[in-house]
């Protein structure tokens, strides 16, 4: 028999034993939740799960904003050995229903704001028995719906005798292609991200105040706002609203976080919005992930606000960042070097390891935080989880001195004249054009059946750009073989729920035109 290990007990009970009960765990605009109060809310969920007859290993879907109830439900489920599935609050009721149907969850918990989704969720997910609304809203869905205030039993509940390998929670990976995949994480994976990235790169400590613009339902946000603060008895600032440049700056000025997490796009828009330069005066370090942070934005942001910005790559499957820049070791335009505790490897098309520097290869990572696999997706599981290695789907190149640079998702890479061209690199040049807001470059085929590239360009509002000006801009800034062969002006780019460009949609558009 393996030793009992429960992620929720590690995150909450351990803090109580360490004497952190009176410390602030969660701070919001409306309330402050101590570790002791958090523990009570966890018991409350466990007692509610018992009343709803939810058993070990069953799934509970969560459609929750960044609010204290997220913590209570996520941690309460795991403490009972029930498996929470945080879902994107940006999805439609229909999308949520299809995912919940895939998961076979019998209970869904929604923030008041999403109560209106319950009827469409219920139509798509036939196994669903109960809904719980965090608030007093009602629902016309044909399932039994409770309001959270109906569950008031906060008496101590037992910790399930899970072990490090027991399924703990799932995250649906927002792949840029196909139906989302339920990514199964085990109990130890949360602690594994704290032990590695949070400890060695961020050097988190109990005086840290964490503020993440990336929401808790993303693996990135879950680490930033839950695992990392509770790994050290620190506190997290929550904003239930969607992040806007001004909103984030105001929250930072008010709650004085020491660590700030966001997407590269958010950092760019904070710079663009011209927020007061002392908004982030309490911050010691910022982190971006999700996509590559252009060196220019990094430089501009860190100079404007006076603290380092660390670009690092993580994934839903690896749970958090495994390759990252360090506070005193930043190389602009790269993802830095492997995080302590992770091994990286680049493979070529024949699955041979590339040991020489400067040659592009498929990035693989090995570490303790990797998911077990995808729910009911054997083929996709086999393709991504290869023994101890996780195939990330990214093409990277490693420099002589060990820094990794992102070149693109492997299926996004373009070959022009037989030479690899990184769409990310070309896009980086295109957005330097003064009148260009966004750009996406994808591969297509010309009438000769040879690969070509098309740039979809969104001009800045009120600006008119023509092809000649883009041509001239590219000509002076990139090798001619990299220049987009066709340029298409559009008003917006198709994106996933997590804001990643859906390149396959653009590729489809090109294919249809031919
Ligand atoms: C891309 C990056 C270049 C890359 C994530 C931090 O983004 C996260 O998870 P997802 O599953 O996407 C994973 C994919 O996104 N990517 C992420 N970060 C970078 N590309 N530079 C980066 N810094 O294609 C990767 O395979 O949505 C990020 C922590 C946890 C996460 N889940």
């Amino acid at each position: 028999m393996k030793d009992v290990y429960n992620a929720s007990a590690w995150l909450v009970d351990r803090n109580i034993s360490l004497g952190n009960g009176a410390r602030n765990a969660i701070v919001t605009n409306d309330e402050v939740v101590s570790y002791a109060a958090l523990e009570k809310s966890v018991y409350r969920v466990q007692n509610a799960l018992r009343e709803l007859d939810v058993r070990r290993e069953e799934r509970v879907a969560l459609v929750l904003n960044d609010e204290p109830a997220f913590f209570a439900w996520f941690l309460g489920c795991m403490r009972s050995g029930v498996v929470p599935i945080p879902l994107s609050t940006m999805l439609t009721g229909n999308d949520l229903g299809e995912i919940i149907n895939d998961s076979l969850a019998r209970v869904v918990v929604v923030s008041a704001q999403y109560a209106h989704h319950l009827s469409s969720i219920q139509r798509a997910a036939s196994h669903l028995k109960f809904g719980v609304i965090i608030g007093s809203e009602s629902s016309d869905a044909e399932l039994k719906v409770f309001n959270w205030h109906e569950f008031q039993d906060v008496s101590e509940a037992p910790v399930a005798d899970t072990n490090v390998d027991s399924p703990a929670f799932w995250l649906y990976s927002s792949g840029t292609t196909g139906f989302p995949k339920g990514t199964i994480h085990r109990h130890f994976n949360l602690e594994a991200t704290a032990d590695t990235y949070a400890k060695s790169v961020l050097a988190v400590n109990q005086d840290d105040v964490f503020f993440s613009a990336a929401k808790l339902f993303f693996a990135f946000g879950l680490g930033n706002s839950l695992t990392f603060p509770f790994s050290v008895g620190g506190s997290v600032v929550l904003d239930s609203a969607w992040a806007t440049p001004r909103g984030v700056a105001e929250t930072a000025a008010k709650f004085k976080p020491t660590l700030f997490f966001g997407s590269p796009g958010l950092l760019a828009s904070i710079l663009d919005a011209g927020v007061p330069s002392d908004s982030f005066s309490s911050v010691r370090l910022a982190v971006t992930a999700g996509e590559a942070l252009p060196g220019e934005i990094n430089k501009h942001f860190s100079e404007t606000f006076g603290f380092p910005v660390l670009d690092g790559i993580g994934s839903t499957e690896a749970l958090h960042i495994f390759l990252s820049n360090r506070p005193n070791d930043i190389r602009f335009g790269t993802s830095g070097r492997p995080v302590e505790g992770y091994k990286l490897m680049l493979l070529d098309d024949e699955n041979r390891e590339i040991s020489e520097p400067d040659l592009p290869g498929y990035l693989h990572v090995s570490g303790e935080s990797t998911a077990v696999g995808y729910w009911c997706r054997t083929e996709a599981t086999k393709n991504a989880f290869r023994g101890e290695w996780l195939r990330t789907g990214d093409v990277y190149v490693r420099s002589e001195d060990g820094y990794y640079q992102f070149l693109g998702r492997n299926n996004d890479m373009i070959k022009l004249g037989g030479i690899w061209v990184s769409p990310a690199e070309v896009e980086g040049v295109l957005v330097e054009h003064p009148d260009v807001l966004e750009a996406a470059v994808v591969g297509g085929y010309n009438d000769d059946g040879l690969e070509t590239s098309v740039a979809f360009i969104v001009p800045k509002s009120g600006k008119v750009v023509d092809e000649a000006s883009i041509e001239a801009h590219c000509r002076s800034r990139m090798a001619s073989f990299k220049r987009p062969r066709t340029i298409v002006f559009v008003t917006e780019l198709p994106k996933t729920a997590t804001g990643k460009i859906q390149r396959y949609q653009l590729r489809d558009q090109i294919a249809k035109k031919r």
Side-chain angles (χ1 to χ4, degrees), residues 472-493:
H473 174 85
C474 291
R475 211 173 273 280
S476 64
R477 276 159 225 256
M478 66 175 80
S480 60
F481 76 87
K482 296 181 183 172
R483 238 185 295 134
R485 304 301 196 253
T486 309
I487 290 163
V488 179
F489 294 102
V490 289
T491 52
E492 59 175 4
L493 297 171

Side-chain angles (χ1 to χ4, degrees), residues 167-171 182-186 189 370-376:
F169 62 96
W170 297 4
L171 295 170
T183 308
I184 304 170
H185 281 284
R186 61 184 187 129
N189 290 357
T370 305
V372 178
Y374 301 122
W375 172 249
C376 284

Side-chain angles (χ1 to χ4, degrees), residues 353-365:
E353 185 166 2
I354 297 171
S355 41
E356 315 90 284
D358 302 322
L359 292 175
Y362 303 113
L363 183 68
H364 290 65
V365 57

Side-chain angles (χ1 to χ4, degrees), residues 23-333:
R23 291 179 62 87
N24 294 349
I26 305 168
V27 181
T28 77
N29 269 311
D30 312 308
E31 62 185 312
V32 174
V33 182
S34 66
Y35 277 94
L38 173 67
E39 185 180 49
K40 287 262 182 287
S41 73
V42 169
Y43 295 160
R44 187 176 162 201
V45 167
Q46 291 186 268
N47 294 321
L49 290 169
R50 204 191 52 241
E51 285 177 46
L52 297 173
D53 194 30
V54 179
R55 321 270 175 92
R56 268 288 278 278
E57 304 270 326
E58 286 183 359
R59 272 80 64 191
V60 171
L62 309 179
V63 186
L64 293 172
N65 286 328
D66 278 24
E67 57 182 321
F70 184 105
F71 292 77
W73 279 92
F74 186 78
L75 295 163
C77 285
M78 290 198 304
R79 202 167 181 279
S80 288
V82 168
V83 178
I85 309 179
L87 296 174
S88 170
T89 58
M90 298 159 85
L91 296 173
T92 62
N94 227 16
D95 290 346
L96 289 167
E98 285 181 19
I99 293 176
I100 293 170
N101 189 45
D102 178 73
S103 77
L104 306 181
R106 283 174 63 243
V107 180
V108 59
V109 186
V110 298
S111 292
Q113 197 181 337
Y114 312 113
H116 67 281
H117 284 331
L118 284 173
S119 43
S120 36
I121 290 176
Q122 178 263 324
R123 272 197 295 278
S126 57
H127 292 83
L128 210 52
K129 283 276 181 314
F130 305 119
V132 179
I133 300 174
I134 309 298
S136 48
E137 276 67 12
S138 56
S139 161
D140 53 10
E142 279 168 37
L143 78 168
K144 176 94 184 95
V145 175
F146 298 90
N147 293 103
W148 186 211
H149 61 73
E150 292 175 61
F151 300 95
Q152 289 296 344
D153 182 358
V154 295
S155 56
E156 185 170 349
V159 181
D161 59 351
T162 47
N163 64 55
V164 288
D165 290 328
S166 306
F169 62 96
W170 297 4
L171 295 170
Y172 272 81
S173 86
S174 63
T176 39
T177 48
F179 191 82
K181 301 182 281 289
T183 308
I184 304 170
H185 281 284
R186 61 184 187 129
H187 272 261
F188 189 70
N189 290 357
L190 293 166
E191 183 172 345
T193 62
D195 270 355
T196 52
Y197 175 73
K199 198 177 272 177
S200 72
V201 176
L202 304 179
V204 296
N205 66 76
Q206 71 164 15
D207 296 324
D208 275 321
V209 178
F210 296 72
F211 177 40
S212 172
K215 298 299 178 189
L216 280 155
F217 64 78
F218 295 116
F220 185 40
L222 187 69
N224 306 338
S225 293
L226 192 153
T227 319
F228 300 168
F230 297 177
S231 72
V232 287
S235 63
V236 55
V237 173
L238 291 188
D239 185 356
S240 64
W242 201 250
T244 61
R246 295 198 175 279
V248 163
E250 278 163 27
T251 304
K254 181 167 169 195
F255 294 107
K256 310 243 169 296
T258 58
L259 294 166
F260 174 62
F261 305 83
S263 65
L266 180 69
L267 264 57
S269 60
I270 287 172
L271 286 171
D272 209 39
V275 304
S277 61
D278 59 356
S279 307
F280 298 94
S281 58
S282 56
V283 173
R284 65 176 177 87
L285 210 52
V287 173
T288 71
E291 59 183 307
L293 174 66
E296 269 305 304
I297 296 175
N298 192 341
K299 186 159 174 283
H300 190 182
F301 196 93
S302 49
E303 279 171 8
T304 305
F305 294 106
F307 48 82
V309 181
L310 307 182
D311 181 8
I313 172 180
S315 74
T316 305
E317 292 78 2
L319 193 55
H320 214 278
I321 293 171
F322 50 83
L323 168 60
S324 180
N325 285 281
R326 308 289 197 284
N328 325 320
D329 179 13
I330 294 176
R331 189 167 294 179
F332 289 150

